[in-house]
mmCIF file of all heavy atoms in Angstrom:
data_model
loop_
_atom_site.group_PDB
_atom_site.id
_atom_site.type_symbol
_atom_site.label_atom_id
_atom_site.label_comp_id
_atom_site.label_asym_id
_atom_site.label_seq_id
_atom_site.Cartn_x
_atom_site.Cartn_y
_atom_site.Cartn_z
ATOM 1 N N CYS A 68 71.364 -67.810 7.612
ATOM 2 C CA CYS A 68 72.013 -69.124 7.520
ATOM 3 C C CYS A 68 72.754 -69.442 8.902
ATOM 4 O O CYS A 68 73.444 -68.548 9.437
ATOM 5 C CB CYS A 68 73.067 -69.036 6.373
ATOM 6 S SG CYS A 68 74.123 -70.526 6.225
ATOM 7 N N ALA A 69 72.668 -70.665 9.300
ATOM 8 C CA ALA A 69 73.209 -71.066 10.656
ATOM 9 C C ALA A 69 74.771 -71.040 10.536
ATOM 10 O O ALA A 69 75.428 -70.954 11.556
ATOM 11 C CB ALA A 69 72.728 -72.420 11.087
ATOM 12 N N ARG A 70 75.234 -71.096 9.248
ATOM 13 C CA ARG A 70 76.734 -71.166 9.166
ATOM 14 C C ARG A 70 77.319 -69.930 8.793
ATOM 15 O O ARG A 70 78.327 -69.473 9.425
ATOM 16 C CB ARG A 70 77.021 -72.322 8.112
ATOM 17 C CG ARG A 70 76.642 -73.751 8.512
ATOM 18 C CD ARG A 70 77.136 -74.711 7.480
ATOM 19 N NE ARG A 70 76.375 -75.941 7.586
ATOM 20 C CZ ARG A 70 76.194 -76.752 6.563
ATOM 21 N NH1 ARG A 70 76.576 -76.490 5.316
ATOM 22 N NH2 ARG A 70 75.476 -77.891 6.782
ATOM 23 N N CYS A 71 76.791 -69.214 7.713
ATOM 24 C CA CYS A 71 77.531 -67.979 7.330
ATOM 25 C C CYS A 71 76.728 -66.691 7.668
ATOM 26 O O CYS A 71 77.279 -65.580 7.423
ATOM 27 C CB CYS A 71 77.648 -67.964 5.799
ATOM 28 S SG CYS A 71 76.203 -67.858 4.893
ATOM 29 N N LEU A 72 75.573 -66.780 8.253
ATOM 30 C CA LEU A 72 74.770 -65.679 8.739
ATOM 31 C C LEU A 72 74.159 -64.809 7.616
ATOM 32 O O LEU A 72 73.572 -63.799 7.924
ATOM 33 C CB LEU A 72 75.586 -64.838 9.763
ATOM 34 C CG LEU A 72 76.203 -65.575 10.972
ATOM 35 C CD1 LEU A 72 76.938 -64.614 11.792
ATOM 36 C CD2 LEU A 72 75.180 -66.336 11.759
ATOM 37 N N GLU A 73 74.277 -65.304 6.330
ATOM 38 C CA GLU A 73 73.684 -64.587 5.345
ATOM 39 C C GLU A 73 72.143 -64.818 5.349
ATOM 40 O O GLU A 73 71.671 -65.774 5.840
ATOM 41 C CB GLU A 73 74.262 -65.007 3.915
ATOM 42 C CG GLU A 73 75.648 -64.650 3.670
ATOM 43 C CD GLU A 73 75.856 -63.101 3.499
ATOM 44 O OE1 GLU A 73 75.042 -62.490 2.793
ATOM 45 O OE2 GLU A 73 76.728 -62.581 4.176
ATOM 46 N N VAL A 75 68.467 -65.893 4.604
ATOM 47 C CA VAL A 75 67.900 -67.083 3.914
ATOM 48 C C VAL A 75 66.303 -67.015 3.940
ATOM 49 O O VAL A 75 65.829 -66.647 4.997
ATOM 50 C CB VAL A 75 68.258 -68.394 4.815
ATOM 51 C CG1 VAL A 75 67.580 -69.618 4.091
ATOM 52 C CG2 VAL A 75 69.733 -68.562 4.926
ATOM 53 N N VAL A 117 70.077 -73.374 6.401
ATOM 54 C CA VAL A 117 71.413 -73.037 5.764
ATOM 55 C C VAL A 117 71.068 -72.447 4.358
ATOM 56 O O VAL A 117 70.109 -72.904 3.733
ATOM 57 C CB VAL A 117 72.269 -74.279 5.674
ATOM 58 C CG1 VAL A 117 72.870 -74.617 7.004
ATOM 59 C CG2 VAL A 117 71.650 -75.506 5.067
ATOM 60 N N CYS A 118 71.927 -71.553 3.970
ATOM 61 C CA CYS A 118 71.668 -70.933 2.592
ATOM 62 C C CYS A 118 71.966 -71.975 1.527
ATOM 63 O O CYS A 118 71.333 -71.850 0.429
ATOM 64 C CB CYS A 118 72.630 -69.744 2.423
ATOM 65 S SG CYS A 118 74.384 -70.235 2.532
ATOM 66 N N ASP A 119 72.763 -72.966 1.831
ATOM 67 C CA ASP A 119 73.072 -74.015 0.809
ATOM 68 C C ASP A 119 73.687 -75.188 1.609
ATOM 69 O O ASP A 119 74.453 -74.940 2.496
ATOM 70 C CB ASP A 119 74.131 -73.422 -0.234
ATOM 71 C CG ASP A 119 74.382 -74.462 -1.292
ATOM 72 O OD1 ASP A 119 75.110 -75.406 -1.034
ATOM 73 O OD2 ASP A 119 73.872 -74.208 -2.442
ATOM 74 N N CYS A 122 77.177 -74.831 2.173
ATOM 75 C CA CYS A 122 77.669 -73.573 2.725
ATOM 76 C C CYS A 122 78.943 -73.848 3.581
ATOM 77 O O CYS A 122 78.967 -74.756 4.400
ATOM 78 C CB CYS A 122 76.660 -72.987 3.561
ATOM 79 S SG CYS A 122 77.226 -71.475 4.460
ATOM 80 N N LYS A 123 80.074 -73.065 3.326
ATOM 81 C CA LYS A 123 81.299 -73.249 4.039
ATOM 82 C C LYS A 123 81.359 -72.527 5.268
ATOM 83 O O LYS A 123 82.299 -72.771 6.135
ATOM 84 C CB LYS A 123 82.483 -72.904 3.060
ATOM 85 C CG LYS A 123 82.499 -73.673 1.792
ATOM 86 C CD LYS A 123 83.813 -73.235 0.977
ATOM 87 C CE LYS A 123 83.956 -73.952 -0.260
ATOM 88 N NZ LYS A 123 83.002 -73.561 -1.312
ATOM 89 N N GLY A 124 80.395 -71.706 5.504
ATOM 90 C CA GLY A 124 80.347 -70.995 6.819
ATOM 91 C C GLY A 124 81.379 -69.874 6.997
ATOM 92 O O GLY A 124 81.945 -69.390 5.959
ATOM 93 N N ASN A 132 83.514 -64.685 5.331
ATOM 94 C CA ASN A 132 82.574 -65.693 4.638
ATOM 95 C C ASN A 132 83.387 -66.565 3.717
ATOM 96 O O ASN A 132 83.812 -66.048 2.712
ATOM 97 C CB ASN A 132 81.464 -64.850 4.035
ATOM 98 C CG ASN A 132 80.328 -65.850 3.502
ATOM 99 O OD1 ASN A 132 80.627 -67.062 3.313
ATOM 100 N ND2 ASN A 132 79.173 -65.336 3.354
ATOM 101 N N ASN A 134 82.461 -68.713 1.778
ATOM 102 C CA ASN A 134 81.863 -68.966 0.441
ATOM 103 C C ASN A 134 82.345 -68.045 -0.547
ATOM 104 O O ASN A 134 82.293 -68.246 -1.768
ATOM 105 C CB ASN A 134 80.308 -68.787 0.581
ATOM 106 C CG ASN A 134 79.716 -69.841 1.472
ATOM 107 O OD1 ASN A 134 79.900 -70.998 1.379
ATOM 108 N ND2 ASN A 134 78.874 -69.324 2.455
HETATM 109 ZN ZN1 ZN B 1 75.411 -70.046 4.509
#
Side-chain angles (χ1 to χ4, degrees):
C68 172
R70 293 183 201 153
C71 72
L72 307 181
E73 288 296 312
V75 177
V117 285
C118 62
D119 184 287
C122 173
K123 297 184 180 76
N132 187 339
N134 297 309

